[in-house]
Amino acid sequence: MRVKWALVFWLLLVCVAPGRARAGGERRVALSNDLWTVTVVPDSLAVMAQPAGAEPTRLSGPQERIGPATALSHDHLSARWRLRDVDVSFALDGGSLSVRFVAEGPGRFTWPIVGADPSVRGWILPLSEGSYVPAEHAEWLRFLTEQGPLDTTEGLSMPFYGLDCGNRTFTCIATNPLGNELAFDGAGGRLGMRFRHEFLANWDTKESGFVIRLGPGSPIEPAWQYRRWLMERGEFVSLRQKAARVPGVEKLLGAAHVYLWGDALLSRHDVADWRSFAGRLLAAGDSDELTPARRLWELLGEEDRDAVRQCAAMQRPQTWITRQIAAAVSGVLERRDFYRPQSWRGVRVPPEAEALLERTPAALPQPALYRLNCFLLRASFPDALGPVERWGDGVSLKMMERLAEAGLDRLWVGLDSYQGGCRHPEAVARARELGYLIGPYDSYHSIHRPDEPDTWETAQFDLALYESGPIVRADGTKVAGFRGKGYALSPIAARPYVERRVSHIMDTLPAPFNSWFIDCDAYGQLYDDYSALHPATQLDGMKARLDRMAWIRDTYGLVIGSERGAAYAAAVIHFAHGMTTPVFGWGDPDLRRDKESAYYLGAWWPPDGPAVMVKQVPLKPRYYTFYFDPRFRLPLYQAALHDSLVTTHHWGAQSLKFSDQAETVALTELLYGVPPLYHLNLDEWGNHRDTITRHYAFFSPLHRELGELPLTEFGWLDDERLVQRTLFGEGLEVVANFGTEPFRHRGAQVPSRSVMATWLDSGRTEVFTPGAAE
């Protein structure tokens, strides 16, 4: 029935000779070679593709009132004409059809319109890592239509879509990835889409278009076609090429990604006896004698003094109160007025502290000030506090040693602030000695007023930039910053501040970072800026973001990463967070606001391990199909770019975040050849050590082999699409069995909920089952 319907449509469309008017004045143009014939109706932009020996597929439906076409010229491989103020050209070259639209002025242009053709079985969409969407799947139809239009930088990770037509695919690559949107509809119970491009007045060249490629029937063929297109244009840069420029890139191979929490100077783990410590502070507060304990008491706020009183009265001080006091003491230790000479009279301080005191605290850089104050406190409480070098929670020497002792010899370590490096330089130095990559979270997306309450560190610059730097819309209003706070900051205006901040940090740190993470720059959220001070198109803004990441990378030889890893950034960055599992459910109160919900992700508290990062929760069922169900996931990004950069999860969706999906996530990571991502402090390491080390023992050696190889094949091995296979290079095969029954492959058994890696040249196999008992 499907073939019959399609042939009827085909006959209606092409039943007249090339270039001749049909009844009613409609004309058609047929472009043809040995591989296929593409028939276009110039007046309506309807397009039908007929591969040799196969049924036709409608690549775009007709549009009304866009013609008539004028100045039509064509031969058997190309055609040109004009639709009002838009020049249109189609050109056929082998299995590739080039489509180009050039407008004289601003306006919106729609093409193609896809969806009604029953030969289309499913859509192949780069929604983050990749999705397979059956053409008539009600749940997917509802999801894609309700969320509104998607653009091709933020909505899609790569600027293409694919059509699965059984034994063949059509890949549609947007040659201009900016100013586009895909608006989905579910008319007739089938997924359809209108692709719109907006020609903007502030662009000198107003052009959009597609490269449409005919390919075989593989679910990752569109990603491979996109990869080939990048290579043809000289825009693909491999990890090996990047490592030749920045040798540290090699350390990403086999590395798990870990964000460490708890970078305060003193942690609750650093005090031997909290009740005794609190008692001494309390006694000092009641005394007139000038002592270090008295000075500390004077600088505590009243709420923190109450906590000290409660702690001193507790037989076994609870975690929440020791955490509060440790945070309060850490805050005092960052003050330049902590040291008062008369309070330390008679206290022996180490030689390093004496040398620092000779320079006076007011003149010390931050790391030296922190070190001095910590020495002063420890000298005052030598029986309660261990060596200063070992203080800290997740960001500490003891954390690094525990990771290394567990056999984790390659890690990317992220700190939520550069301050972790100032407070605990020993931890940074030790991480580098262990061969780890370590770097801070940084961002230039938003800017806040200097006196903004509830601000965050990376959004603080100065009043001049706050007033002059925001991105401005065409109507003169300023674009709001993240979470509606402050404004979105122009990357052009921010550039001097980027260089100043990064240089200051790298020059100040006793042990400099060897990696850097910039939020948002590779996310895909781009703006046209109509500010008179820094006017910019989306393209200008994109280039400015890429240039600043390249400057950080090249100036300091750092392994550079960013959020998500949209394709436009792939040639510049080395790693990205947010592609394997993106952030989702922003507007869902069950996830974000309702603390009584079983699915509540958690608050940004406590600072040494925010619940939103470390708390495990079950996945709300409505998100399973779109983000975790292996039947609908595809390794499209890996097929295109696996050997160009390393990608993993968004920090809000770490590997262990969703307790009921942790096994599925582990299988997907290994199948796709991507690393896990975790959030750790000392407590979380204790909670998950065994799970992490088991996974690492299988993942790390495997990834060291396949990390620089392309993902060359992907396929479903069973009808339910629960057993899947990838091939890296020519000889490293990974089979993941997401099902509940064993599966036989190449004469070997893949247990349920397990992965089997096979080295095809030797026949060696290794099996890993994430949920297996120790």
Side-chain angles (χ1 to χ4, degrees):
M1 187 66 185
R2 173 183 293 166
V3 175
K4 181 178 179 182
W5 189 98
L7 287 172
V8 169
F9 183 89
W10 173 252
L11 291 170
L12 289 173
L13 183 65
V14 301
C15 63
V16 294
R20 183 179 299 173
R22 287 180 51 201
E26 185 177 85
R27 295 170 292 177
R28 69 174 178 85
V29 171
L31 310 179
S32 184
N33 60 28
D34 292 342
L35 297 176
W36 56 333
T37 297
V38 177
T39 303
V40 185
V41 179
D43 296 310
S44 68
L45 289 180
V47 178
M48 189 72 98
Q50 172 80 64
E55 62 184 284
T57 296
R58 183 163 65 177
L59 298 182
S60 181
Q63 300 182 57
E64 298 179 357
R65 296 184 295 278
I66 63 169
T70 60
L72 173 65
S73 65
H74 66 91
D75 56 30
H76 74 289
L77 291 178
S78 64
R80 297 175 179 271
W81 66 94
R82 189 171 179 82
L83 286 172
R84 298 181 183 176
D85 65 345
V86 178
D87 290 323
V88 182
S89 64
F90 279 63
L92 197 64
D93 182 9
S96 182
L97 173 69
S98 297
V99 182
R100 187 166 178 253
F101 305 105
V102 180
E104 288 185 357
R108 282 195 160 199
F109 192 84
T110 299
W111 195 88
I113 300 174
V114 190
D117 194 321
S119 71
V120 177
R121 299 181 182 182
W123 291 68
I124 298 166
L125 299 175
L127 301 172
S128 295
E129 178 61 55
S131 299
Y132 182 84
V133 182
E136 298 180 354
H137 193 281
E139 196 176 357
W140 269 105
L141 263 64
R142 194 160 51 247
F143 174 74
L144 288 173
T145 55
E146 287 179 356
Q147 71 173 348
L150 301 174
D151 68 28
T152 50
T153 55
E154 182 181 1
L156 302 182
S157 60
M158 298 172 284
F160 69 81
Y161 66 88
L163 301 176
D164 171 22
C165 298
N167 62 357
R168 66 191 186 283
T169 57
F170 293 95
T171 301
C172 303
I173 302 169
T175 53
N176 179 357
L178 306 173
N180 305 317
E181 67 175 29
L182 291 79
F184 291 95
D185 65 75
R190 289 183 61 82
L191 185 63
M193 181 272 290
R194 289 174 175 262
F195 192 103
R196 301 188 184 101
H197 179 82
E198 185 169 7
F199 298 112
L200 294 172
N202 64 331
W203 285 68
D204 293 333
T205 301
K206 299 170 178 59
E207 180 177 332
S208 72
F210 290 87
V211 169
I212 301 175
R213 292 190 168 176
L214 173 66
S218 163
I220 63 167
E221 179 63 21
W224 264 87
Q225 292 286 4
Y226 177 66
R227 175 188 176 90
R228 294 186 191 105
W229 183 73
L230 289 176
M231 289 180 166
E232 290 164 5
R233 294 162 58 89
E235 296 177 5
F236 181 91
V237 182
S238 71
L239 270 173
R240 286 176 181 162
Q241 291 172 302
K242 294 175 181 179
R245 189 170 188 171
V246 180
V249 169
E250 289 285 349
K251 296 180 180 180
L252 288 170
L253 302 178
H257 291 228
V258 175
Y259 280 97
L260 293 180
W261 295 90
D263 68 353
L265 289 168
L266 184 76
S267 80
R268 61 186 183 83
H269 303 281
D270 299 324
V271 177
D273 185 337
W274 272 104
R275 187 182 183 202
S276 173
F277 181 73
R280 290 177 63 181
L281 288 181
L282 188 58
D286 293 333
S287 171
D288 293 331
E289 184 181 358
L290 297 180
T291 63
R294 172 71 186 183
R295 181 59 177 159
L296 181 56
W297 178 264
E298 291 172 352
L299 296 176
L300 291 175
E302 191 54 45
E303 185 177 332
D304 297 320
R305 290 180 182 180
D306 286 342
V308 171
R309 294 186 185 99
Q310 293 180 61
C311 184
M314 289 180 177
Q315 192 67 32
R316 293 183 178 178
Q318 298 177 20
T319 296
W320 68 269
I321 205 162
T322 59
R323 176 184 285 126
Q324 179 181 340
I325 298 171
V329 172
S330 294
V332 170
L333 292 175
E334 296 190 9
R335 296 180 58 150
R336 292 191 180 273
D337 62 350
F338 175 57
Y339 177 69
R340 185 171 59 187
Q342 53 269 43
S343 296
W344 266 266
R345 190 175 292 117
V347 177
R348 293 188 62 183
V349 299
E352 186 176 345
E354 291 179 352
L356 291 170
L357 285 171
E358 290 177 1
R359 296 165 58 186
T360 72
L364 295 175
Q366 272 185 331
L369 173 70
Y370 298 163
R371 192 166 182 84
L372 168 62
N373 287 346
C374 290
F375 278 137
L376 292 173
L377 183 66
R378 205 252 166 164
S380 310
F381 295 89
D383 54 337
L385 300 170
V388 168
E389 293 80 4
R390 300 192 64 77
W391 290 7
D393 193 338
V395 185
S396 67
L397 198 58
K398 51 184 175 284
M399 184 79 224
M400 298 303 170
E401 290 173 352
R402 292 181 192 184
L403 295 170
E405 288 166 3
L408 277 60
D409 59 339
R410 286 197 185 181
L411 293 175
W412 178 87
V413 177
L415 311 183
D416 77 319
S417 165
Y418 79 92
Q419 286 283 359
C422 293
R423 294 171 182 141
H424 299 285
E426 297 86 4
V428 176
R430 184 62 176 140
R432 296 190 58 161
E433 290 171 4
L434 291 168
Y436 299 165
L437 295 168
I438 184 167
Y441 166 97
D442 195 7
S443 178
Y444 302 91
H445 174 274
S446 299
I447 184 168
H448 298 167
R449 181 181 288 276
D451 58 357
E452 180 81 29
D454 244 2
T455 187
W456 47 85
E457 176 185 76
T458 58
Q460 283 298 322
F461 297 91
D462 58 32
L463 184 61
L465 187 62
Y466 178 79
E467 293 175 342
S468 66
I471 294 171
V472 178
R473 298 186 184 90
D475 63 4
T477 61
K478 296 176 180 178
V479 177
F482 182 61
R483 294 183 179 172
K485 199 174 187 67
Y487 300 115
L489 178 59
S490 159
I492 294 171
R495 178 58 183 268
Y497 292 81
V498 174
E499 297 189 16
R500 195 176 309 155
R501 178 190 287 176
V502 174
S503 296
H504 171 73
I505 293 171
M506 291 297 288
D507 294 344
T508 300
L509 289 176
F513 298 120
N514 57 7
S515 183
W516 207 271
F517 180 89
I518 293 191
D519 197 8
C520 302
D521 278 8
Y523 185 77
Q525 191 177 44
L526 303 171
Y527 301 95
D528 287 283
D529 188 355
Y530 293 87
S531 167
L533 299 175
H534 39 76
T537 64
Q538 290 182 45
L539 180 61
D540 297 328
M542 180 185 77
K543 288 181 177 178
R545 295 170 192 273
L546 297 179
D547 286 347
R548 69 188 180 196
M549 290 194 291
W551 179 86
I552 295 170
R553 179 197 67 196
D554 297 341
T555 302
Y556 293 99
L558 302 180
V559 177
I560 190 88
S562 187
E563 184 180 9
R564 189 161 170 265
Y568 66 78
V572 172
I573 61 177
H574 303 131
F575 67 95
H577 293 165
M579 190 59 65
T580 309
T581 309
V583 63
F584 57 86
W586 274 116
D588 190 334
D590 284 344
L591 273 61
R592 306 288 171 178
R593 294 192 296 275
D594 183 2
K595 296 182 180 181
E596 301 303 315
S597 167
Y599 311 113
Y600 178 57
L601 299 178
W604 276 94
W605 189 264
D608 58 0
V612 70
M613 298 300 183
V614 305
K615 175 188 175 187
Q616 286 191 283
V617 296
L619 178 71
K620 189 173 181 178
R622 67 171 293 186
Y623 298 108
Y624 175 68
T625 297
F626 317 118
Y627 298 105
F628 294 91
D629 191 334
R631 297 173 300 168
F632 303 109
R633 300 197 69 176
L634 291 175
L636 297 182
Y637 195 90
Q638 302 312 312
L641 296 165
H642 181 266
D643 52 336
S644 179
L645 72 162
V646 173
T647 61
T648 182
H649 311 282
H650 193 274
W651 52 90
Q654 61 134 320
S655 296
L656 303 177
K657 179 64 179 179
F658 300 102
S659 53
D660 55 342
Q661 299 303 318
E663 289 182 17
T664 296
V665 168
L667 295 175
T668 303
E669 290 165 353
L670 296 169
L671 179 69
Y672 290 4
V674 302
L677 183 143
Y678 307 110
H679 290 287
L680 298 176
N681 56 22
L682 292 172
D683 286 343
E684 289 301 306
W685 172 246
N687 293 337
H688 303 295
R689 179 186 185 279
D690 291 344
T691 298
I692 292 170
T693 54
R694 282 191 70 248
H695 186 279
Y696 184 87
F698 187 86
F699 155 78
S700 187
L702 186 67
H703 192 258
R704 295 179 207 208
E705 291 194 48
L706 59 76
E708 290 182 323
L709 299 176
L711 192 158
T712 51
E713 294 181 17
F714 170 83
W716 299 301
L717 301 184
D718 70 332
D719 294 339
E720 297 298 315
R721 303 203 301 269
L722 290 174
V723 184
Q724 303 177 11
R725 170 187 177 270
T726 50
L727 183 69
F728 295 90
E730 298 180 358
L732 214 173
E733 178 188 75
V734 180
V735 173
N737 181 1
F738 293 95
T740 58
E741 299 294 330
F743 184 86
R744 292 201 66 79
H745 177 69
R746 297 187 187 276
Q749 181 163 283
V750 186
S752 64
R753 309 291 292 165
S754 299
V755 159
M756 181 175 73
T758 303
W759 286 257
L760 299 180
D761 56 350
S762 66
R764 177 168 69 94
T765 63
E766 293 185 9
V767 174
F768 176 69
T769 304
E774 293 296 319

